Amino acid sequence: MIFPGQPMGRPMGGIRFQLDWTIFLLIGAISGVGLLNLYSASGSGVSGRFLQQIYWFILGTSAFLVVATIDYRQYNHYGYWIYAGGLILLLLTLVVGRRVKGSTRWIGYGPLGVQPSELIKIVVIVVLAKYLHQDPRVEGRGLKDLAAPFALVSAPVALILAQPDLGTALLIILIFFSLMLMSKLKVRSFLVLMSSLVVIAPLTWTLMLKDYQKRRFLSFLDPDADPTGAGYHLKQSLIAIGSGELTGKGFQQGTQSHLRFLPETWTDFPFAVWAEEWGFIGSVVLLGLYLFLIVWGVNLARTARDRFASVVCIGVSVMFFWHVMINIGMVSGLLPIVGVTLPLVSYGGSSVLTFMIGAGLLMNISIRRYSY
Amino acid sequence: MQVRPEQSSFLKKYRWMTVFIVLSFGVLLGRLVQMQLIQGRDYRDQAHNLMIRRVTLKAKRGVVMDRRGRVMVDNEINFNVYIVPRYFPPEAFGKLKKYLKLDDEQSRHIQKKILGAQGDRRAFSLLAVPAITWDQRARLETNAFELPGVRVLTEWKRRYPYGNLAAHTLGYVNEVSRAEIRRLKGYRIGNKIGRFGIERQWEYYLRGKPGFERFIVDVRGRRQNDKRLLRLLGPPSKRRQRPRTGSNLVLTLDLDLQRIVESSLRWHPAGAAVVVEVNTGRILAMSSKPAFDPAMLSSRLSREQARQLYDNPYHPMLDKTVMGSYFPGSTFKVITAIAALEERLANTHEYIFCKGYHEYGRKSAFRCTSKHGPMHFHSAIVRSCNIYFYTLGQRVGMNRLSRYARDFGLGTPTGLGLNGERGGFIPTKAWYAKNMPDGFRIGHTLNASVGQGNVTTTPLQLAMAYATIANGGKLYLPQIVQRLETSEGKTVRRYPPVLRRRVQVSDRTFRLVKAGLRGVVNEPGGTAHNAWDGRLSVAGKTGTAQVIKRERKSRDPRDWWRFEDHAWFAAYAPADNPEIAVVVLIEHGGSAGKVAAPIVMRIVRDYFAKVRPKSNRPGQGRRIR
């Protein structure tokens, strides 16, 4: 039995230590899909964008290995330090960050720029896990007990909204809510949590959003209302997905993406490209891979050795889940358009890094399940 | 494995969470089924609509030639400015206006056209400015980068090398309207359609068959040539089809004669002339004055041009040869004469005394041009005595008169079919009974027998009737097209002369009437004698048709011309062995002998001198005193 507060830092390895091949294969397969799709979406031949993504994958794989190797109890131990580091990074971003398209999200130099707001998701998961690990209540949590985790989450969210990066802030809030729902809540707190959402939503709508954002947000309800403006992307995306039909148009033969009717295919709309070229079959395969990974993560949480590990597994799975749901929901017209990446398929280093680290955590927890 | 207490708080929820996740994925899956499997075909069509452009390759219209193959209408190169509204930013309009040096009215029209395109129409190119000059084209093309969505295409435009020569007969073309596109098959926006004359009547043959080209474009409208993409277009026959040039028409018109006719009419503002071949019914020349400029009508009219055209008191848009119904006046007397002879109600020996008015009704009602004294059949035709023909008409009666008139093709359209041909009108007793407040009266017959009252004809009808007299009773269908050729000049179809019927009139009657008609020209005292040069072999009849009763004459002297009589001369030549029938009408020309007859003489003289091949030119008319 492991109890909280037991000394940390036990060297890795116990009696039963083995690689979790499932995670390995799933991550490999999804990344493969992502690279294949990017190769097609970024035109024929090996483009700079494709090469850069390869580099990020190499970096991401290293991060995966490093994160998986260090015993996760170290992360628990240094949880608040990690959290502090994350916040500093966010602050730095606001101060010295690069400004791109009206928001300051990037930090770093040249092609090595990262978005700390992406990485902070992992940090939030870790720090919440640490908090819940240290505060194991069996009875329900009251509102007061939610104050501390709420505070832990609102700091980074505020900093991210200052950039502004709505999509990421939204995701962190979603992850927070999902984790809180998983821990034992009193009915009353649950209701308060829900009603706070109801209050926050319209406030954000009126105070935080600019007109163009509102339009973009609402265009999913009626993409034809403004087919040249906000609804344009969505309409093109719907046509791309739908016209893929059962078997797709074939690799590199998606007309919507290759004739540029569908813009910015590599960041927000890679699924449309994939669905157009590989059809229903390809789409179902990709969805299946994600579902398998997420359910596998939830299952890991159930069998994890301690509470920290469980919460981390849930957190990472939920992060994958919301990214997939929102991104695919958005490109298929079920949800409003917000810039949320498709895990390991969207182009972008920070995103790749984040999900690789997340997968590394899963792997870490998985291989240490039975080591005592 | 053991369940840790603090873990157990999570445990139940794992299952719920898994269920939630799987259900959420189920929603995505359902959406994919809906989009890709159920609506996939629709989306595929939408994708195709976005990237597949179809352009019509316009067919070149057929050429129209005169009977000797001289081009009367063909095509010339023309630069047209096309705009795709989707790619054309409204700000660029000012630049377009500047480079093309458009005036305000033009630019308003163009702007309206561009803004009028809505929805999917915005992706199709519109003909914004037709027929720009080389200079304008050069300015547009050097500044093309400032004008996205603007293209200058080199296309064919109709050319009328002789300007308004035979304008009503040849017609003109202009852009097909939206309503017509809906109604007719095979027309698209920007196509030209024949609007008048031959261009309209023979539209089906002249227009040819448009081809098309389908190609793939990217979002900017740039053409793609990737082989794999081109496969989406289907087999080559669906990618491109060459347009087929329209058929050429060889008309029966003679360019030289047409010019002679038009130049003979040049001193008169309004009128019509028709020359037909007596033994075939082929129209050699046909002119209506004033004419319009087909080139001008083929493009958009400015408001001022349109006003001038439609407010013109001489009605330039009316083809007077077939659309104008006029009282034939004394030219109709031949019908009365023929009817009376055939019905044995007149003979060549009887004299009827002309004292200047007819013994019917008021003295002023049925008058003659002068007091002719005793008139017999021949002299009555020569001098055009009304009293003689009133008497004959009264004997023949309205219905018989109308039967003979109809036998000569009056009262119904000749069948040329050009320009909504009118049939003129020949009344009957029954018609008067029905339409006149006092019913039928003898006065109606009297009026009709001298071509007044309710009798009207078109110049073409009269020409066909006189041709029938000239050829001894064969009423032909008038013809304007004699041959249809492919664009390479191979004859596709010939149109031989068509005999409508033989008129039921004896040779003797024709002989007597023709002698009279010859006398009109050859004999001193003949109404057209003064116009005769003493040599030309011509026979014919003048007609001075009253337009409106003089009492109703307007007080304004500037309007008096409207009340002048129409001057007719209907003739054929040579008098002995006729080849052509000529009818000239000068609207409000006044005296026929002074105005219309000299024109006919000139036409006939020049026809034999310049138009007709020398090899079988007959001897000049005998000198007859």
Side-chain angles (χ1 to χ4, degrees), chain A residues 181 241 259 280 304-305 332, chain B residues 4 7 13 31 36 219:
Chain A
L181 285 176
I241 296 172
L259 300 177
F280 182 71
R305 206 172 42 172
S332 63
Chain B
R4 289 164 279 119
Q7 263 184 328
K13 291 184 178 169
R31 178 67 171 159
Q36 298 191 297
V219 68

Side-chain angles (χ1 to χ4, degrees), chain B residues 84-139:
Chain B
V84 182
R86 177 185 282 174
Y87 306 127
F88 183 72
E91 315 81 82
F93 193 80
K95 297 214 176 82
L96 186 76
K97 191 179 167 187
K98 192 179 91 193
Y99 295 133
L100 290 177
K101 297 188 176 155
L102 300 172
D103 65 38
D104 285 344
E105 194 193 330
Q106 281 174 308
S107 58
R108 244 197 325 276
H109 172 73
I110 295 160
Q111 211 157 15
K112 217 171 89 190
K113 210 165 177 180
I114 295 171
L115 294 177
Q118 293 293 330
D120 284 349
R121 278 239 181 82
R122 288 170 53 76
F124 297 112
S125 41
L126 285 173
L127 175 58
V129 195
I132 58 170
T133 62
W134 283 91
D135 281 355
Q136 287 174 315
R137 175 179 180 237
R139 276 198 300 276

Side-chain angles (χ1 to χ4, degrees), chain B residues 496-510:
Chain B
V498 177
L499 183 67
R500 282 173 77 190
R501 62 173 165 267
R502 283 189 160 272
V503 173
Q504 296 305 308
V505 172
S506 67
D507 287 348
R508 173 178 170 272
T509 302
F510 277 129

Side-chain angles (χ1 to χ4, degrees), chain A residues 274-319:
Chain A
W274 178 259
E276 184 183 24
E277 297 190 350
W278 300 89
F280 182 71
I281 294 172
S283 312
V284 168
V285 165
L286 184 58
L287 279 185
L289 290 173
Y290 281 125
L291 180 62
F292 198 167
L293 181 68
I294 291 163
V295 170
W296 188 261
V298 173
N299 201 45
L300 265 184
R302 200 162 59 83
T303 55
R305 206 172 42 172
D306 55 40
R307 181 155 189 161
F308 175 81
S310 290
V311 178
V312 167
C313 286
I314 295 291
V316 170
S317 302
V318 156
M319 177 176 79

Side-chain angles (χ1 to χ4, degrees), chain A residues 15 31 35 44 59 69 90 100 106 116 131 140-141 205-206 220 225 291-292 309 317 361 365 370:
Chain A
I15 323 147
S31 307
L35 284 173
S44 46
L59 203 64
T69 315
L90 279 180
V100 179
W106 297 81
Y131 176 81
R141 278 168 206 278
W205 181 257
T206 49
F220 84 101
L291 180 62
F292 198 167
S317 302
L361 285 173
I365 289 160
Y370 309 113

Side-chain angles (χ1 to χ4, degrees), chain A residues 1 136 181-184 232 235-236 238-239 241-243 245-246 249 252-253 255-256 259-261 271 275 279-280 283-284 287 290-291 294-295 298 301-307 310-311 314 318 321 324-325 328-329 332 334, chain B residues 1-11 13-14 17-18 20-22 24-25 27-29 31-33 35-37 39-41 43-48 50-51 86 122 216-220 222 224 226 228-229 231-232:
Chain A
M1 284 282 255
L181 285 176
M182 284 303 290
S183 66
K184 207 160 194 180
Y232 177 79
K235 187 160 187 203
Q236 300 305 327
L238 295 183
I239 294 174
I241 296 172
S243 64
E245 298 182 82
L246 179 64
K249 296 177 185 171
Q252 289 194 321
Q253 291 184 51
T255 55
Q256 286 291 97
L259 300 177
R260 309 237 173 94
F261 290 102
F271 182 76
F280 182 71
S283 312
V284 168
L287 279 185
Y290 281 125
L291 180 62
I294 291 163
V295 170
V298 173
R302 200 162 59 83
T303 55
R305 206 172 42 172
D306 55 40
R307 181 155 189 161
S310 290
V311 178
I314 295 291
V318 156
F321 172 75
V324 171
M325 285 311 292
I328 296 182
S332 63
L334 292 175
Chain B
M1 117 173 215
Q2 282 172 289
V3 175
R4 289 164 279 119
E6 78 278 3
Q7 263 184 328
S8 69
S9 74
F10 274 8
L11 258 185
K13 291 184 178 169
Y14 290 141
M17 189 171 199
T18 313
F20 177 72
I21 288 169
V22 170
S24 304
F25 271 78
V27 171
L28 291 187
L29 184 73
R31 178 67 171 159
L32 289 177
V33 168
M35 288 175 71
Q36 298 191 297
L37 301 186
Q39 300 170 349
R41 194 174 287 261
Y43 281 116
R44 188 183 59 195
D45 291 346
Q46 286 187 40
H48 282 194
L50 283 171
M51 66 183 174
R86 177 185 282 174
R122 288 170 53 76
I216 291 179
V217 295
D218 69 2
V219 68
R220 293 265 167 119
R222 281 176 301 221
Q224 305 291 307
D226 183 354
R228 280 186 303 190
L229 278 174
R231 269 208 310 259
L232 295 172

Side-chain angles (χ1 to χ4, degrees), chain B residues 314-388:
Chain B
Y314 299 116
H315 304 298
M317 294 308 290
L318 187 78
D319 182 356
K320 300 185 171 75
T321 56
V322 293
M323 294 158 91
S325 291
Y326 302 90
F327 298 132
S330 305
T331 55
F332 189 76
K333 285 174 183 164
V334 291
I335 303 293
T336 314
I338 288 168
L341 283 184
E342 284 293 299
E343 299 294 330
R344 304 193 179 284
L345 297 170
N347 63 53
T348 51
H349 314 301
E350 182 193 7
Y351 280 85
I352 292 171
F353 193 82
C354 168
K355 52 194 177 202
Y357 63 91
H358 188 60
E359 298 279 3
Y360 178 80
R362 283 177 296 133
K363 268 191 185 177
S364 62
F366 298 97
R367 290 184 306 178
C368 196
T369 47
S370 65
K371 295 174 182 167
H372 288 113
M375 285 278 119
H376 65 329
F377 185 82
H378 185 80
S379 61
I381 294 179
V382 170
R383 314 262 318 255
S384 196
C385 174
N386 284 352
I387 306 306
Y388 185 88

